[in-house]
Amino acid sequence: MAQMTMIQAITDALACELAADENVVMFGEDVGKNGGVFRATEGLQEKFGEERVFDTPLAESGIGGLAFGLALEGYRPVPEIQFFGFVFETMDEVVAQMARTRYRMGGTRNLPITIRSPFGGGVHTPELHSDNLEGLIAQSPGIRVVIPSNPYDAKGLLIASIRSNDPVVFLEHMKLYRSFRDEVPEESYVVPLDKAGITREGKDVSIITYGAMVRESIKAAEVLEKENIDVEIIDLRTVAPLDLETILASVEKTGRVVVVQEAQKQAGVGAQVAAEIAERSILSLEAPIGRIAAPDTIFPFGQAEGAWLPNAKDIEDKVREIANF
Amino acid sequence: MAKNKTIDFQALLDKAHSDFPMYQALDKDGNVVNEALVPDLTDDELVELMTRMVWSRVLDQRSTALNRQGRLGFFAPTAGQEASQLASHFAFEKEDVLLPGYRDVPQLIQHGLPLTQAFLWSRGHAAGNYYAEDLKALPPQIIIGAQYVQAAGVALGLKMRKKPNVVFTYTGDGGSSQGDFYEGINFAGAYKANAVFFIQNNGFAISTPRDKQTAAVTLAQKAVSAGIPGIQVDGMDPLAMYTVTKMARDWSIAGNGPVLIEAITYRYGAHTLSGDDPTRYRSKEMDDEWVAKDPLIRFRAYLEAKGLWNEEKENEVIENTKEEIKVAIAEADKQPKQKVSDFLKSMFEVQPQNIKEQIEFYEAKESK
């Protein structure tokens, strides 16, 4: 075991998979010699060579096409999109090509691609770096969206994603990259895809969340505990498709639920979570489904992030309201 | 102000347009005009190439008729492009990878896709896209330009695997305006990867004439932006198409990187049979002018002069093709109806909960 930040756990996962499978290749803008703009691929080119870890021209659609074509030739590509706000440049390759190829070819071809990309607010980036766009991909059949919330999950989920023969969009929250350390095994291990984690067990209110909002929910739960509100936190981990078994088991136990996301209310996956709960477990509910999300504006100018991003205080208030409904 | 006169922009423009002559081996009457471009093909190979071109013309005619009868669905006519499509494909090997556009079904069939599956694709049946593992190709690409960026990836893969093969991909004149067109040739160029890119310039993108796409005088010169060779070929001339393609393939496999080939061609028919009416934007005179350049006319004359082709032979090919089409359509008719549960099963290798649940639901519904 070692103490690792999330970014170190990610680098470690990438190194594990480069060593384990010669078909794993990594590429993107500045991921080679430079080791990535966040050092996620630091030292990998040096260790595994330029054929395995390499830079690309500055063009996201081309990167998507490169991944697609390499996968057809039997590689296991792990491309990087420098910031997920740039996904619009390659939406066709991601949702109209990679996500649908297995279906359109009746299962005769697989595209084992894992697209890594940073996103998320709280670090005062310039425009279109931090936007929470997971909902766009979540609405696209044929591709998984995985969002880890801590170093341990990040390593295990990334290894699982790379080993998956189905395509994955793996989103890395920038605020979580270095904000805390976790015990992470040095050897390879897998955290299963399509399976939510129970971050905290509780009996009064379920919080269903993902990404940076898991940490905010933990903080809120600690405050609420002192008020005798016992919160259960479900970390979705794979945000699309959803692990309804885990979500519904929690909701049926507590009877009260708050869905928390950093994305705007009209975006993200919160509405899908709420709809599934309403459809399947409404008779277990003792209160309306509470929701915490960002306002429906464009992602804020850097200095306004504090006022805009949902936080532990917002979550506390909403959980109190639902607990006392 | 006087200083600015040192830059002669007109001269720069003239230079940009200067180096892209059209390569031609046969004129419209089948006379050899450039001996150097006459390929080293055996008599049997020449006959086989003609056979494929006649096959494609018949396939186009029959597909149009079958579409009108409602026995085929989406169809993009190919008549006029036989040299551009079949003679370029003739220069490739089975292990080369084909990424076709939606008009490039003839190459796909010659590359190994059974005709029945091509018809199923036209109808909108998934079985048309169940590709055998050894068929090195993707189904026709509907998103114009996507095949170009994907080709760059395949090309790099072939290079990294050290395979003596290339990827070849096709788009139209309109497609050369897409971002993915430029990204594709630029990536392949930057990695010096194994690819031959084709632009089949048939003068129109639906109704939009070629000169509305770009101020560039040739489309081949767009290769300059990627730092790769670009070459313009008479796309109605099977011998020039074959020779140039073969040379491009050899050059790329030798590790020199990709080539862009612009074939100057024409489509006699509509853009697609989904309601396009070419009389709205094309004159009869224009059609006639291109019919006179027909690749079949000139190749027929060339082969007849060599004693390799005659009417009897051509009729035999026509009859064989009609029979082959009849059998393939009958085969397509026998294909079982598509089931939603099958679609669900092909979404992922490892099924998530929503997919499993929906398979159960649809299987129950389908068994009623």
Side-chain angles (χ1 to χ4, degrees):
Chain A
M1 294 287 249
Q3 286 283 318
M4 288 189 203
T5 60
M6 192 166 96
I7 193 96
Q8 288 168 334
I10 287 167
T11 310
D12 199 39
L14 296 173
C16 282
E17 288 314 282
L18 281 165
D21 183 348
E22 61 181 16
N23 289 315
V24 172
V25 286
M26 284 162 204
F27 49 89
E29 297 156 9
D30 314 296
V31 305
K33 201 166 187 180
N34 192 43
V37 292
F38 289 103
R39 305 285 170 260
T41 51
E42 179 137 277
L44 297 181
Q45 188 184 68
E46 209 176 353
K47 189 162 176 202
F48 296 96
E50 278 188 49
E51 282 235 326
R52 307 287 305 284
V53 182
F54 53 91
D55 293 321
T56 66
L58 202 168
E60 285 75 17
S61 189
I63 291 169
L66 202 64
F68 188 106
L70 284 167
L72 270 191
E73 282 304 304
Y75 286 95
R76 199 169 276 282
V78 188
E80 179 183 291
I81 299 173
Q82 199 160 70
F83 295 94
F84 206 55
F86 310 163
V87 71
F88 297 108
E89 297 287 340
T90 190
M91 276 299 271
D92 178 62
E93 280 305 310
V94 179
V95 309
Q97 306 293 334
M98 293 171 197
R100 64 190 289 136
T101 293
R102 192 175 200 283
Y103 159 85
R104 97 185 261 258
M105 298 190 73
T108 59
R109 299 291 187 280
N110 280 320
L111 289 180
I113 298 167
T114 302
I115 299 172
R116 292 182 40 251
S117 190
F119 79 109
V123 292
H124 303 294
T125 59
E127 276 187 295
L128 273 165
H129 284 57
S130 300
D131 295 53
N132 293 259
L133 302 172
E134 68 278 7
L136 296 177
I137 314 297
Q139 287 206 4
S140 307
I143 192 161
R144 286 179 171 83
V145 184
V146 174
I147 304 183
S149 69
N150 60 69
Y152 179 89
D153 283 356
K155 179 170 173 182
L157 287 168
L158 184 50
I159 291 175
S161 298
I162 294 171
R163 291 181 185 175
S164 161
N165 282 334
D166 299 316
V168 173
V169 168
F170 189 89
L171 296 176
E172 303 164 3
H173 199 291
M174 284 183 274
K175 191 159 183 214
L176 300 178
Y177 267 156
R178 293 185 174 85
S179 55
F180 62 102
R181 287 172 189 275
D182 212 354
E183 286 287 328
V184 177
E186 279 164 75
E187 65 277 11
S188 276
Y189 62 92
V190 163
V191 172
L193 303 181
D194 303 339
K195 196 86 195 96
I198 302 170
T199 302
R200 186 185 199 280
E201 295 205 37
K203 60 178 178 17
D204 295 331
V205 179
S206 300
I207 292 179
I208 318 291
T209 187
Y210 57 98
M213 291 299 113
V214 174
R215 297 281 288 173
E216 296 301 310
S217 298
I218 294 169
K219 281 188 226 163
E222 283 162 3
V223 172
L224 292 162
E225 190 176 19
K226 291 170 195 149
E227 300 167 25
N228 289 325
I229 300 174
D230 188 12
V231 171
E232 176 149 299
I233 300 172
I234 304 298
D235 177 357
L236 291 174
R237 300 197 294 208
T238 298
V239 307
L242 292 168
D243 173 11
L244 292 182
E245 282 168 15
T246 304
I247 294 169
L248 298 179
S250 176
V251 171
E252 280 162 22
K253 177 173 80 176
T254 62
R256 296 171 194 268
V257 58
V258 175
V259 182
V260 180
Q261 67 181 22
E262 182 178 306
Q264 293 90 332
K265 198 163 193 178
Q266 70 181 52
V269 302
Q272 180 68 7
V273 173
E276 293 285 4
I277 294 168
E279 185 181 349
R280 295 163 193 266
S281 296
I282 198 157
L283 296 178
S284 307
L285 291 178
E286 291 173 47
I289 299 166
R291 290 180 65 191
I292 288 292
D296 287 325
T297 71
I298 301 297
F299 194 89
F301 293 95
Q303 292 194 341
E305 277 185 330
W308 192 89
L309 289 166
N311 59 30
K313 184 78 181 52
D314 301 323
I315 299 167
E316 278 168 36
D317 291 346
K318 183 57 79 177
V319 171
R320 268 187 215 106
E321 179 193 324
I322 296 301
N324 298 318
F325 181 82
Chain B
M1 286 305 286
K3 232 179 171 182
N4 289 342
K5 286 186 182 155
T6 60
I7 301 172
D8 184 346
F9 287 100
Q10 187 57 48
L12 290 174
L13 183 62
D14 293 344
K15 190 169 184 300
H17 291 152
S18 64
D19 288 333
F20 299 89
M22 187 173 79
Y23 283 82
Q24 191 188 41
L26 289 180
D27 69 12
K28 67 182 177 51
D29 301 316
N31 303 310
V32 173
V33 292
N34 184 348
E35 197 63 55
L37 288 181
V38 175
D40 190 17
L41 287 173
T42 64
D43 289 352
D44 284 351
E45 286 169 333
L46 288 169
V47 168
E48 173 60 21
L49 177 53
M50 182 64 181
T51 301
R52 290 188 190 186
M53 288 169 56
V54 172
W55 166 87
S56 186
R57 180 65 58 90
V58 176
L59 179 62
D60 178 81
Q61 289 162 349
R62 291 301 301 143
S63 297
T64 302
L66 288 162
N67 169 284
R68 299 277 184 244
Q69 294 163 21
R71 298 189 71 195
L72 281 182
F74 179 80
F75 178 65
T78 58
Q81 297 189 194
E82 289 82 1
S84 164
Q85 296 183 321
L86 283 308
S88 61
H89 178 265
F90 203 61
F92 290 96
E93 304 289 334
K94 193 172 165 26
E95 293 298 307
D96 292 337
V97 183
L98 167 61
L99 301 193
Y102 53 77
R103 202 181 297 281
D104 302 310
V105 178
Q107 298 100 299
L108 202 43
I109 298 166
Q110 290 299 339
H111 209 56
L113 182 71
L115 185 55
T116 302
Q117 284 190 260
F119 288 153
L120 287 166
W121 175 79
S122 165
R123 287 177 177 184
H125 194 300
N129 288 349
Y130 299 168
Y131 280 19
E133 208 171 318
D134 64 351
L135 175 53
K136 306 284 184 199
L138 285 179
Q141 178 59 254
I142 295 295
I143 302 302
I144 295 170
Q147 70 271 37
Y148 259 56
V149 283
Q150 292 167 0
V154 172
L156 179 59
L158 292 170
K159 181 181 172 168
M160 282 162 51
R161 298 268 189 226
K162 300 188 169 52
K163 289 187 185 171
N165 294 103
V166 296
V167 59
F168 50 116
T169 188
Y170 296 82
T171 191
D173 41 307
S176 71
S177 299
Q178 288 277 5
D180 276 356
F181 166 86
Y182 293 100
E183 291 188 28
I185 60 174
N186 186 59
F187 269 58
Y191 293 120
K192 276 202 188 312
N194 308 7
V196 181
F197 293 96
F198 290 92
I199 303 169
Q200 297 187 82
N201 174 2
N202 60 21
F204 289 88
I206 307 189
S207 66
T208 305
R210 149 68 186 84
D211 62 9
K212 293 280 193 294
Q213 297 292 343
T214 173
V217 170
T218 70
L219 300 178
Q221 74 196 76
K222 294 190 174 199
V224 174
S225 70
I228 66 171
I231 184 164
Q232 196 183 61
V233 187
D234 181 350
M236 307 301 262
D237 172 357
L239 295 188
M241 275 309 298
Y242 174 84
T243 305
V244 171
T245 304
K246 182 86 171 53
M247 289 167 70
R249 182 181 184 275
D250 291 346
W251 200 78
S252 189
I253 287 172
N256 297 304
V259 177
L260 178 68
I261 297 174
E262 177 191 10
I264 306 296
T265 181
Y266 199 70
R267 58 169 162 84
Y268 301 143
H271 162 65
T272 68
L273 295 187
S274 315
D276 175 45
D277 172 12
T279 62
R280 292 167 72 103
Y281 51 86
R282 244 169 35 193
S283 65
K284 183 166 183 315
E285 289 70 38
M286 189 183 257
D287 284 346
D288 289 346
E289 181 198 324
W290 281 93
V291 167
K293 296 180 187 169
D294 195 308
L296 294 182
I297 294 174
R298 72 177 79 174
F299 201 35
R300 192 182 287 129
Y302 175 78
L303 293 181
E304 278 175 357
K306 282 176 161 289
L308 295 174
W309 198 257
N310 54 41
E311 205 181 325
E312 193 188 337
K313 238 178 186 140
E314 182 148 339
N315 284 334
E316 194 188 317
V317 175
I318 292 169
E319 289 315 310
N320 288 347
T321 307
K322 284 181 177 168
E323 185 56 29
E324 184 197 354
I325 291 167
K326 223 165 87 182
V327 171
I329 277 285
E331 208 49 46
D333 290 343
K334 282 190 232 154
Q335 192 65 36
K337 276 201 178 128
Q338 302 177 89
K339 291 191 295 193
V340 175
S341 58
D342 288 337
F343 292 155
L344 286 158
K345 285 173 192 167
S346 62
M347 287 298 297
F348 295 96
E349 186 185 73
V350 176
Q351 289 159 357
Q353 288 174 28
N354 60 329
I355 297 284
K356 281 186 190 154
E357 181 186 275
Q358 289 169 28
I359 289 172
E360 221 170 277
F361 175 83
Y362 282 97
E363 277 184 340
K365 208 171 145 182
E366 286 155 4
S367 69
K368 272 177 200 160

